Amino acid sequence: MRRILTALALIAGLLTVPAAPAAAAVTPVQIYGAWHCGNDFCTWGTTRTVAEFDAQNHWLVDRGDGRPSVNVVVLSFVDPAKLLHLTDDATTVDGVPRGITPEIVGYFTSRGIRVMLSIGGITYTDAWNAALAENAAQLGRNAAGVARRLGVGIEIDYEENTSPNLAGLQAFIDAYRAVLPYDATGADPAARLTIDVAAGDRWLIALNRKATADWLRTDRPVLDYANAMVPARQPSASAAVANWQEHIDGKPTYAPPVPPLAPAKFTGGLYIAYGNRALPECTDYATSLQRSTGTFVQSAAPKGAGTTAGLLGYMFWAAERPATRGIGTVPPNTCEGGTGAGATAYQIQIPMPPLRQS
């Protein structure tokens, strides 16, 4: 009888259903935004009326049901050399492009959409180098002054790949933070200071290493977060995830190594406008990358930095007319069905909530 009972117990043990693995933590998407190039290919050199601007960009503030499609727009770009000198010329007033006016900023902020200005971009790499070499601290103070005057945040887009002036950029950041200290609540829009890094860890290496090690730490944050920019062309879902995973893992074999970045300290970039055809990211959420990468973006686990799972969210390149060729996001190629539908699917909060800090 004992042998029979033992055999039955063993059979029962074999038939026992193993416990299901714990489900991956899922964190809501907090940032869902678009870089915005205006109607002149990222120059913003002409003053526009709100009515004309709305006719080209209404999808950003109305996904079809009266709610905005995004919770942040980044107006791109400001020339850092002109900002340093507070230049007045045919396209610039006090160092800021003429098209970036309080009325255009208010078009978004009145609807709960956060606004930021991007300083730089690949076109202005030499201008960044010149401005940082001349007076990096004054450039930081000027940037803080514009942020406070317009009620916007500032994004650093410094795309010097080979030998970035990291000491100068540190002086820029120190000067900005002396005027506008880090604000974990996000309540002061002008206190938001971010940086762009490459899609993965293999370009802008020195900049990425410095930012990850010193400015994007969760224990002593200096910058609010980074944007992992778009690669040369729209990636596949697997390629996008691989790029973003590089930031989370870091590059321990590099000399010196690139430390891991907390998922809560960066967003992933995707195209909404590229070439002469509409992208699903703009027009068809069901087949879009923001849908197919959503599980990763909401549940990517920390690998040595940070404690919470999931990236902060998505940034899209770029609204209206980002290039001299291509259809952009102007009518009839507007993005309610892709970006707007994604905002609904991810239940994006507008205004943007306070961001995760770890």
Side-chain angles (χ1 to χ4, degrees), residues 130-150:
L132 291 176
E134 181 178 343
N135 196 334
Q138 188 60 52
L139 178 61
R141 288 188 287 271
N142 289 359
V146 169
R148 179 174 280 167
R149 175 168 58 84
L150 291 176

Side-chain angles (χ1 to χ4, degrees), residues 57 135 147 167 192 262 270 282 302 324 326 332-333 345 356:
N57 292 283
N135 196 334
R192 181 142 294 172
L270 298 170
C282 176
T324 56
N333 304 296
R356 286 157 42 222

Side-chain angles (χ1 to χ4, degrees), residues 35-44 76-77 317-322:
W35 287 283
H36 197 303
C37 279
N39 64 350
D40 54 4
F41 325 116
C42 309
T43 302
W44 288 89
S76 309
F77 294 102
W317 178 264
E320 202 167 358
R321 292 288 189 184

Side-chain angles (χ1 to χ4, degrees), residues 245-265:
Q245 186 67 52
E246 286 187 4
H247 288 293
I248 296 171
D249 294 343
K251 281 285 188 287
T253 60
Y254 282 14
V258 178
L261 179 62
K265 280 295 179 177

Side-chain angles (χ1 to χ4, degrees), residues 167-190:
L169 195 57
Q170 182 72 66
F172 169 93
I173 292 169
D174 289 345
Y176 191 99
R177 283 292 181 229
V179 178
L180 294 163
Y182 182 85
D183 175 17
T185 71
D188 181 0

